[in-house]
Structures are given as structure tokens and as C-alpha cells.
Amino acid sequence: MAATCMSDDAIASLRQETRDIFYHGYNGYMKYAFPEDELRPLLCKPLTRNDSNPAHVELNDPLGNYSVTLIDTLSTLAILASSPSPSKDGRNRELQDFQDAIAALILLYGDGKKGRGGQGLRGRGFDVDSKVQVFETTIRGVGGLLSAHLFAVGELPIRGYDAIEQEKDGRQGIFWKNGIVYDGQLLRLALDLATRLLPAFSTPTGIPYPRVNLRRGIPFYENSPLNTDAEHGQCLVGEKGPADSTETCAAGAGSLVLEFTTLSRLTGDDRFERLAKRAFWAIWERRSRAGLIGSSIDPETGQWISPVTGIGAGIDSFFEYAFKSQILLSGISFDAANYSIDSPEAFGAAWQEVHASIKRHIYRGHSFHHPHYIQVDLQTGAMRAFWLDSLAAFYPGLLALSGELEEAIEAHLVYSALWTRFSSLPERWSTATGNIEHGLTWWPGRPEFIESTWYIYRATKDPWYLHVAEMVMRDLKRRCWTRCGWAGLQDVRSGQQSDRMESFFLGETVKYLHLLYDEAHPLNHLDEPFVFSTEGHPLILPKSSRRKARYTATPTKVNTTDMVAIPSIPSSVSQAICPVPPPILPLSISATAARQDLFHAASLVRLHLMPKIGVAESPILEFTNDHPSVSQPDLVSPTNYTYYPWTLPPELIPANATSSKLTSRNTFDLSFPTLPNMVMNAAALQRSSEGILINSVSGLRLGMVREPTPKFPGEPVLDEFFRIYAVSNVALGRDEKVFLSESSINGFNPIDPHFSKIRDTEMLDLVLDLPINEKDLDKAINTDGTAEQSILQFTSQLFTNAHSNDAKADGSNLMSSLLRGLSDMKSLFSDSDFDSNVSAHASLSASSSASASATSSPTAQSLPVIRTLLPAILPVGPGAAPLPNVPDSTGDLDLDWNSIYVTDTLCESPLPASVVRSHQVLVVKRGGCSFSDKLQNIPSFPPGAAALQLVVVVSYSEQQDEPIGTRMGSGHAGGRDGRDDGLGEEGLVRPLLDKMQKTPAGMPRPHPVSMVMIGGGDEIWEMFERAKAVGVKRRYHFVSQGLKISNLFAL
């Protein structure tokens, strides 16, 4: 089908053009810049580090004076060698260039051995006085050397190359025609380079410092453990230089697993794998409550520095390595004791969790013109900025690789339209203004967009993506060509060139272009767990390590007790399957070109507003006749933006095709009048861990959006609701709540159609006062017994439990509860009879389940009390009775009912009459008989304050309908790790009391008993056994125009 819209000759011609593009840059580098790091294509001179200006990190971080471009290019030469250009003598020019490049490196930097051969013309290994970035050196240097080694020894395929190890004249290895006997020189050099990076991992958190000197280590990080030992520390007297910034990015610190694991498995030195995994999980454990990863972090404190996050710069490759680590590690040995951090499934689970968080908080769907991604608040997910950056163009490719194909295609359309508009990708572009953001106009030849194009083409085989790649190639040749190489663009609008050919242009951009047009390439059909690193270097663990490990990995030295919420391994990780490509419409060729939302992306990018462009001038014009990298189509520029890519032939556009209507976003602003003597000020709004507390509505504006009720895939939308996304000028995240204090809503018209307060007829909260038991104290006290840390942990526990799951206590009451708990705790920790108190209370809480819990005891009252809210559901049916007429339990007031009786299922026989006359709350287990039968086993009793008021039925997880789980204190389904804790309300179904309540004698009950049901099983059962008192707190919600406001709550 691809041949139908692009002939074999056309594809072969484009494939040859990619070779010409590569060799124009490669020959220019070797002629004008080698052995320095990069080429200045405008001046035809080498580009080196700016040692006179250490702050010039854009240059100094990747350039280390070790021929970066040549190392970064080796794997591209190996890939081209599988499809060599035609030659009269039949030689494989690309393979010879690959082997000659390796010979040049060995000549300069040695063979990695300790003897004479280890000394090169420029040094022994990479012993250079260069301060480089750990991340850039790993992905360009270490990764480039490892990938080339894997090609050299045959672990990665080169068509026609046999990596046969031989022994001749006392030498053993793979004999090449250029005289090199390859015996692992690149692997030893990679080990040398990576070893020089290890000092950067000497941090308190395991997150590496951003930079290291390849010769001197890290004397500029004075707080490192390497530098704090006066006697054995790294720094000598007078050697410590100016302190360097410790700020690093999540991508730089957490994206080392692929290269370092490959190095460890090839050499048997497990240090690299352990440290890289430790760094990854150290970043992971610090993700926010919203499940998001920040862009910059301090490796000494572990604190996030930037409050804004997204999917692009500073974060991008962390997501990439989470998923690709699962692929690379599959089938190899790991330490079973650390399954949750060493196994491939652990990395797969991390990707699935973080992808879900991105989809919930960063992704904007069809109601925002066309799906794309924005920048949000790290902690809440609230929108903060609206720009797309060119680095984020990698994400559609990662989505396609992980099986999220529809989302990948949607996201890629935006970047395709953006490239069509600018003939490149600006560093940042704003979806809000339609303009380039903050003057970031450059494109340095980045590969991310063409990388994603290759991944999606491999998943769909849709010829549309071949034309996208052709567009990139035409624009690149027209705008970036220079006499001796390829320049980046300093301004994508004017075409102003920058005098730098980044190493990744030959190492990645041209590589993915070539693979797009080389359908028969071995890597396009390799059915092995190999991956491309974030620098585009293919990596695979040797087959021998999958059959039998080269070494037994020792347990990592990560303190796993300090790690929070390491991802549980969902079954979907091991059961994931690749989706089939989108079906092609009849009489069409491209499913993408026929999409009904194709022009939604074009509209988002404002292609329809772009003027026509004539044929642009280009320095390539004077070389059109005698240069092999130039072809006639390169002189053609887009003349209109009706379709994109602008290279798309008309026959791929479906006849009489239509575009679907843009989805409108139904928003509604609810504005409150300014009340007399009331001014909107900072005190009117208070931020809490759950959202925003409103103390005054005077002059307030609530921005609301109409959304469908969350549903399972395939189910129809039965209802809609409003969600508040902004309070005045404060943006909210999707999971943030808005709380109205009681005083702020007094005097409202209860029947106002725009804003009404309604009592919830399905759900309420039970309020329990729980004395601290021995288990709680064990959690609070450290193993070292230090009071200071114990108090800090205990305070955190009190605060968490004092906060309701809907944060229904206002700020003052919450603080009162916390202070009261601290006061009790003070006496508790200073009491000399601490052990006896614990023992006495333990015996108290172990009372029989068939007796009422104690309500007063000097021992029990000497212990602090935690007030906990439990979600409960009300019954329906003829036997349902209203709740007792008691006030809501709010603040720190005493609860209404303090006599509790706990029994079993209440199915066998009636209760003693004395129980219901002297106990206000009856707790029974679900199951064994119907709800109506349970109530019929309750004897008749005269109503009274001390008599039975409420029956609580405790449900167990196996009895609930697939509970999603609402974590107490989190206020939203599932908590951060998505695990069900059994205390959830989502799985509760309203109990059916199918007949009128009757007494044990079968007579109609004159005073029906109120009943509720809660989940939680044994954990909740144990709470009621030791509860001191119980109360109820009714739930209320607000309605506007007949729709519930889902995240607005009354206190």
C-alpha cells in the first residue's frame, strides 16, 4: 500500500538523500573539526569548550574535549552499513568508515588497557580536565561507545558483516581490513568514561550532581560526602574551587538506567546499574501528590526547585527510560529481594502510573481545539502555562512504542502542523497566543519530531508519515545547508542560521530519517528486546546475559524503607498488547490523512491564517548542479497551508472528505456580588493540602466547566456535572476541591437556580473518636527511640487523621484538633508510666466483640484521641428509615453517641433486649442473611436518648462491587499509588431494605431503626471495637442550573 502512494524508486531516492545528508555533515566534521568536539558549519572551523566562561553551560555541558561528534556518530555509520550505497568495487563504504572511525578513536584515546596500548595521542582514556554534565556525557559518550561496541561484536546486526572472533599471530579478536583487531576497545573506553562520572553520585539522596570534572571529580560540591571528610576527602588543601549550582533536572538524574545497566551487564561491574536505578527511584519517590515529576531538583536536599512541570525540557527522558527500561531488562536476572525496584515490571508500572497522571493533569483533550499538553503546577496539576516545546515532540513516539497509538497520532498531528508553519520547530510556541514564547526562536537540528514520526510509521505503516519525513528533509536542506555541514536555525521565522552542528544531528536526526526510508533494514525487523536510547543509540543486552547472567546482582544499597509508594505491579504491565493500526477508509490510502480531526490540529496552530510564501532564497542554490546532497525538489518551498505536511500529494487526500465539528468547551462563570463592608482580600481564600478554603464570597468568581460523569470505557454518559477550575484568578488542578466555610454561605437563597445547597441523600460520614492503641504508637516511635523524630511522625499522623476525606473541618477546627492531640501527646511522651499505659490500653481494646466498648477509663482518657471520618451509604426501599434528628458532628464538640455494641452478622437469633435499650450504636457484619432479616432480629424497645439510634453494617471488599478505593484524608479515588485500601466508598451499593421493618415477633416496628453501610472489613471492625464515641456528619453538595458542582463542599 505504501508503494501505491510512494513508488519504490521514490523511496530509494529519498533513502539515498539521507545518506547524502549524513555524509555532507560527516565529511565536513572530519575535514574541518576532528578531533575536536563539534563543527562550526558557517566558518568551517572546530567548535570547542568555552573554558574562559564556565557559565556557558549550553556549550560546556556536552563538549568534553573527547571528539563528541565522532563518538555520537558511530552508531549511525553502523546503521548505514546495512544498506550501503552502490559501489563499483563492491566494497561497503559505510562499514569501512565505521571501522576507520573506531581506529581513529583508539589512536587518540588508547585501547582502554593498562599497558602501552592504553595511551593514546590525546591521553590515556578520557583523562581530560573538563567539567561536563553527567547526563550529556552518559547519553552521548558512554551510550555512543556502548552502541558501537554492540555493533562491532555482532550483538546488533549489520547486514553482511560477520563478527567472527579469531586468533592469529598471538592476537585474539575480530580482524578488520584496516588492521584493527577488535577485542572490546570501545567497551573498555566506555568503562573508563563512566567510571569518571561516579563521583557525581556521592550525594545524600542518591540523585547525582549535575556535573563532574573528568579528571578531578567534584571538588566544586563542598557538601558532598566526598568532600566533607577532612582526612580522607577528595579535595586537597587549596584545591576546592568556586561552588557550583547543585540544581539538576529529573531527566538528567533519572535517565541513566539504559546506558549504565548495559555497561554493568557487559563488564560485570554492577556499580553502574545499582547507582542508575537508585537515582531513578530517588526521583520517582519524590513525585507529587498529583503523581507528577518535577523539572528541577536539588540532589542534596531532594527538594523540587521548579513548581511547574510538563512533558518536555527537564523531564522528557525520565518518562522514556521508565518504559524502555522495562524492555531492555526483560528476560535478564535481577535481585529477587528487590523485585519492586529491580524488575522490568517495576519500571513498566512506573510508566503506566506516570502516564495516567500526565493524561489526567497535563493532557488537554478535544474540547481544547485539539489534544495537546500544557505546563501545570507540580503539586496540584493546575494549569500554569500553555507552551509546547520542541523537546516534547519525543512524546508521541514514546506513546506509540508503549501501545498508546491513538493518543500518539493525535499528539503528532500538532507537531506536524507546527513544522508545516515554521519549516522547523521553534524551541517554544504558545497555544494561547499562537506566537513563539519568550523569544525562544531557535531549532538546533533536534531529532525528537522525526524520531516520533519513525515510531508511528513503524506502528501504522501509514504513508502519510513518509511525506512528513520528506517535508522535514526538504526544509532542512533548504534552510540548514552550508558549504561544509549543517547549521541549526537561530530564528525559525527568518531562517537565520547558527554556527553550530550539534553532535546529535548526525547521531539521531539523520539516523531516524534513514530508517524511515529503509524498510528492509535489520533494525526495523529485529524481534529482540532492544531500545534506542534518548540519544538515538541502539542498545541491547547480550544474549548470554539472558541465558545466564554474567554476575549475580548484589542487593542494592537503597534504603527502601525511605521509599514511599513504589509502584505496585498491575497485571496490565505483563498483559499489554500492541494495538492494531487505525483502519483505512474505503477508497483512501492514508488513515491519518482521512482523520476527521486532521484540520483541528491545523486550526490550533493557525495554519489557516498563514500567508502564501514564495520561493525562498537559500545558500544551497549555488551548489545545485555539482553537489550530491542537493536535489531539485529542495528548492521548492510551501506555497500554501491548505493541507499538511506541505509535501502531501493530492491523491492522499480523500475525495469529498469532511472535518468533524470542533468540540466546544462548555464553561460557566458564577460571580457573587460585592457585599457591603466586605472586600475581597488574601484572607478570603486560604490554600490547604486539598484545595482552596473560601471564607468570604464577596466579589468572588467561580470558573466552572461542564464535564461528563466519569465512566468506564464503553459505557454511555448518563449525567454531567460542573467542575470548578478557577477561583477568581487562582487556577485549580483536576483533583483540587473548593470548601465554603459555614459563615460564607449564610443568608443564601436556598432556591436560587444558579447556586443551591442540597443535602446528599445517598452518602454521609460517620465520625469516630479513636483512642491511640499500641499499633498506632508503634508506628509513631522510631526504632532509635528519639523523641524528636517520634513527635514529628506522630504529629503528621494526627494531622492526616484529623483531616476528613472531604476536608469538612474548617481551618480553625482542624488546628484545634491538632493542638489538642499535641497537648495529649506531650504528656504521653513524658509519662514515666508509658509502658504501663500502653499495656493497659492494649487490654482495654481487646475486649470481646459481643460487648460494648468502654466509654470512660482513666487509662484510656490519658491517651490522645484521633477523630476519623468514614464514608457511609444510606439504604433504599420500604424499610429505609431517616437518620435520627441529631446535629452534625463538627469541630471538636463531643460526639452524640458513646455506647457501642459490636456483634456478628445478626442472622441466627435476636439480640438481648438489654442491648438495644442501653447501646446507641449497633455494629454488625454484612452477609449471612438479608438486611431486612438483620433488622428483624433487633428487639422492640422504647425510644430514648440512651437506646439504639443507628445500625452500622460493615461490608468486606469481596462483598463490594469492584471498589476503586478512597483513601481517608486524600479525598479522591485511589490515592497516589492507585492501590485500594479497602476503606473506599466507590464500591458500595445502596442496601435494599425490601420490606417494612418488623420486630422479632413479626409485627410492624412502630419506631423503625436507622441503618447505614460502610466498607473496610476487619480494619473498620477493629475501629468500632475500640471507638469511644460515634457521630454523623451529613454531606451537602451545591447545584447550579440543575447540575451538581462536583468539587465544591460546605464545611
Side-chain angles (χ1 to χ4, degrees), residues 412-600:
H412 187 269
L413 286 175
V414 176
Y415 286 102
S416 299
L418 197 60
W419 185 286
T420 300
R421 173 175 171 179
F422 290 103
S423 293
S424 56
L425 290 182
E427 187 73 3
R428 284 187 188 177
W429 177 81
S430 173
T431 61
T433 65
N435 298 318
I436 292 175
E437 185 90 354
H438 300 312
L440 304 180
T441 60
W442 57 83
W443 180 72
R446 294 197 191 280
E448 286 77 14
F449 173 57
I450 197 65
E451 171 191 356
S452 287
T453 305
W454 175 73
Y455 275 114
I456 300 178
Y457 177 70
R458 297 311 308 168
T460 64
K461 298 297 181 66
D462 191 319
W464 192 82
Y465 298 97
L466 296 178
H467 292 284
V468 170
E470 183 186 7
M471 172 182 68
V472 172
M473 196 154 52
R474 298 280 174 252
D475 287 335
L476 189 155
K477 294 172 75 173
R478 179 170 54 86
R479 309 189 81 195
C480 301
W481 191 93
T482 72
R483 181 171 58 88
C484 53
W486 300 97
L489 295 177
Q490 188 62 36
D491 193 325
V492 299
R493 300 165 300 183
S494 65
Q496 177 188 354
Q497 295 179 330
S498 60
D499 195 15
R500 181 179 183 183
M501 186 176 75
E502 295 254 18
S503 70
F504 54 65
F505 178 79
L506 299 179
E508 292 186 82
T509 307
V510 182
K511 179 182 296 171
Y512 288 119
L513 278 172
H514 179 80
L515 287 173
L516 266 158
Y517 295 114
D518 193 353
E519 175 61 32
H521 196 281
L523 289 182
N524 280 333
H525 302 277
L526 183 60
D527 188 15
E528 297 285 348
F530 84 100
V531 294
F532 282 90
S533 73
T534 194
E535 190 69 11
H537 296 303
L539 295 173
I540 191 172
L541 298 183
K543 297 180 179 65
S544 57
S545 70
R546 300 180 189 282
R547 293 192 298 266
K548 183 178 180 181
R550 292 284 184 92
Y551 69 94
T552 301
T554 56
T556 62
K557 302 205 182 218
V558 185
N559 183 3
T560 55
T561 59
D562 291 339
M563 288 188 171
V564 293
I566 293 298
S568 57
I569 312 300
S571 59
S572 57
V573 173
S574 57
Q575 298 174 359
I577 58 174
C578 295
V580 296
I584 298 177
L585 296 179
L587 304 179
S588 68
I589 297 174
S590 168
T592 301
R595 287 178 65 97
Q596 291 192 331
D597 63 347
L598 182 72
F599 295 106
H600 296 183

Side-chain angles (χ1 to χ4, degrees), residues 49 102 158 228 403 433 470 516 526 660 685 790 846 862 896 910 993:
R49 294 171 51 83
I102 293 175
I158 298 177
T228 54
T433 65
E470 183 186 7
L516 266 158
L526 183 60
S660 62
L685 301 180
S790 300
S862 67
D896 294 289
L993 297 178

Side-chain angles (χ1 to χ4, degrees), residues 571-772:
S571 59
S572 57
V573 173
S574 57
Q575 298 174 359
I577 58 174
C578 295
V580 296
I584 298 177
L585 296 179
L587 304 179
S588 68
I589 297 174
S590 168
T592 301
R595 287 178 65 97
Q596 291 192 331
D597 63 347
L598 182 72
F599 295 106
H600 296 183
S603 177
L604 176 68
V605 177
R606 281 77 162 179
L607 281 185
H608 58 293
L609 301 179
M610 295 299 103
K612 292 185 178 181
I613 301 176
V615 177
E617 294 186 359
S618 170
I620 200 173
L621 290 172
E622 59 183 293
F623 292 91
T624 55
N625 295 323
D626 58 356
H627 204 284
S629 67
V630 178
S631 60
Q632 188 65 29
D634 300 323
L635 308 180
V636 180
S637 60
T639 57
N640 67 77
Y641 299 95
T642 304
Y643 304 108
Y644 68 98
W646 60 263
T647 49
L648 193 69
E651 56 265 27
L652 259 70
I653 302 166
N656 299 321
T658 59
S659 174
S660 62
K661 184 179 179 180
L662 283 170
T663 304
S664 61
R665 188 167 182 257
N666 197 338
T667 59
F668 171 65
D669 278 3
L670 185 63
S671 299
F672 296 86
T674 302
L675 303 178
N677 302 321
M678 295 289 292
V679 179
M680 189 71 179
N681 53 38
L685 301 180
Q686 292 178 275
R687 180 167 286 283
S688 72
S689 61
E690 298 285 339
I692 299 291
L693 171 64
I694 299 175
N695 294 313
S696 171
V697 297
S698 178
L700 187 75
R701 179 183 63 84
L702 299 180
M704 301 190 294
V705 59
R706 188 168 179 166
E707 296 182 338
T709 301
K711 62 183 180 69
F712 294 102
E715 292 186 357
V717 176
L718 300 178
D719 201 0
E720 291 184 326
F721 61 87
F722 279 122
R723 177 178 62 85
I724 299 175
Y725 66 88
V727 178
S728 293
N729 294 323
V730 180
L732 299 182
R734 290 194 63 87
D735 293 329
E736 284 196 283
K737 301 175 177 63
V738 180
F739 308 107
L740 284 173
S741 64
E742 185 176 358
S743 60
S744 66
I745 55 177
N746 287 337
F748 272 87
N749 183 355
I751 59 173
D752 187 338
H754 294 292
F755 193 69
S756 305
K757 179 182 176 183
I758 307 294
R759 178 184 292 183
D760 195 324
T761 59
E762 296 184 5
M763 297 294 301
L764 54 81
D765 292 298
L766 294 183
V767 187
L768 273 66
D769 276 349
L770 300 174
I772 303 299

Side-chain angles (χ1 to χ4, degrees), residues 846-865:
S847 59
S848 169
S849 64
S851 61
S853 61
T855 57
S856 63
S857 167
T859 303
Q861 289 185 350
S862 67
L863 295 170
V865 171

Side-chain angles (χ1 to χ4, degrees), residues 263-499:
L263 180 61
S264 283
R265 298 288 171 157
L266 288 171
T267 63
D269 188 341
D270 69 335
R271 291 178 299 169
F272 304 98
E273 181 177 348
R274 287 192 293 108
L275 290 172
K277 287 180 176 178
R278 183 189 181 200
F280 177 91
W281 293 116
I283 294 290
W284 174 257
E285 71 167 349
R286 289 168 171 83
R287 66 198 186 282
S288 69
R289 290 183 68 247
L292 300 174
I293 303 295
S295 60
S296 59
I297 195 170
D298 188 328
E300 291 183 344
T301 65
Q303 299 296 313
W304 295 111
I305 296 174
S306 172
V308 178
T309 189
I311 61 168
I315 323 160
D316 46 4
S317 56
F318 182 88
F319 309 137
E320 181 184 0
Y321 275 40
F323 182 74
K324 288 183 177 179
S325 293
Q326 180 189 8
I327 299 175
L328 185 72
L329 297 173
S330 60
I332 67 171
S333 63
F334 56 87
D335 181 19
N338 288 327
Y339 178 82
S340 64
I341 57 177
D342 269 353
S343 67
E345 291 81 9
F347 289 92
W351 156 249
Q352 289 207 342
E353 182 176 329
V354 78
H355 172 247
S357 297
I358 291 170
K359 194 72 179 287
R360 179 161 184 80
H361 299 289
I362 301 177
Y363 173 85
R364 305 185 100 188
H366 287 277
S367 60
F368 292 90
H369 227 95
H370 183 81
H372 60 280
Y373 304 87
I374 60 171
Q375 318 303 309
V376 301
D377 186 274
L378 171 62
Q379 300 300 329
T380 67
M383 55 185 176
R384 290 290 179 263
F386 304 98
W387 43 262
L388 307 177
D389 65 342
S390 62
L391 283 168
F394 89 99
Y395 197 64
L398 177 60
L399 291 170
L401 181 64
S402 63
E404 306 291 341
L405 190 54
E406 176 61 22
E407 186 183 351
I409 293 172
E410 289 176 347
H412 187 269
L413 286 175
V414 176
Y415 286 102
S416 299
L418 197 60
W419 185 286
T420 300
R421 173 175 171 179
F422 290 103
S423 293
S424 56
L425 290 182
E427 187 73 3
R428 284 187 188 177
W429 177 81
S430 173
T431 61
T433 65
N435 298 318
I436 292 175
E437 185 90 354
H438 300 312
L440 304 180
T441 60
W442 57 83
W443 180 72
R446 294 197 191 280
E448 286 77 14
F449 173 57
I450 197 65
E451 171 191 356
S452 287
T453 305
W454 175 73
Y455 275 114
I456 300 178
Y457 177 70
R458 297 311 308 168
T460 64
K461 298 297 181 66
D462 191 319
W464 192 82
Y465 298 97
L466 296 178
H467 292 284
V468 170
E470 183 186 7
M471 172 182 68
V472 172
M473 196 154 52
R474 298 280 174 252
D475 287 335
L476 189 155
K477 294 172 75 173
R478 179 170 54 86
R479 309 189 81 195
C480 301
W481 191 93
T482 72
R483 181 171 58 88
C484 53
W486 300 97
L489 295 177
Q490 188 62 36
D491 193 325
V492 299
R493 300 165 300 183
S494 65
Q496 177 188 354
Q497 295 179 330
S498 60
D499 195 15

Side-chain angles (χ1 to χ4, degrees), residues 95-104 175-181:
L95 178 60
Q96 182 176 331
D97 289 341
F98 172 66
Q99 295 173 345
D100 289 346
I102 293 175
F175 286 76
W176 291 345
K177 292 181 180 179
N178 62 358
I180 292 294
V181 180

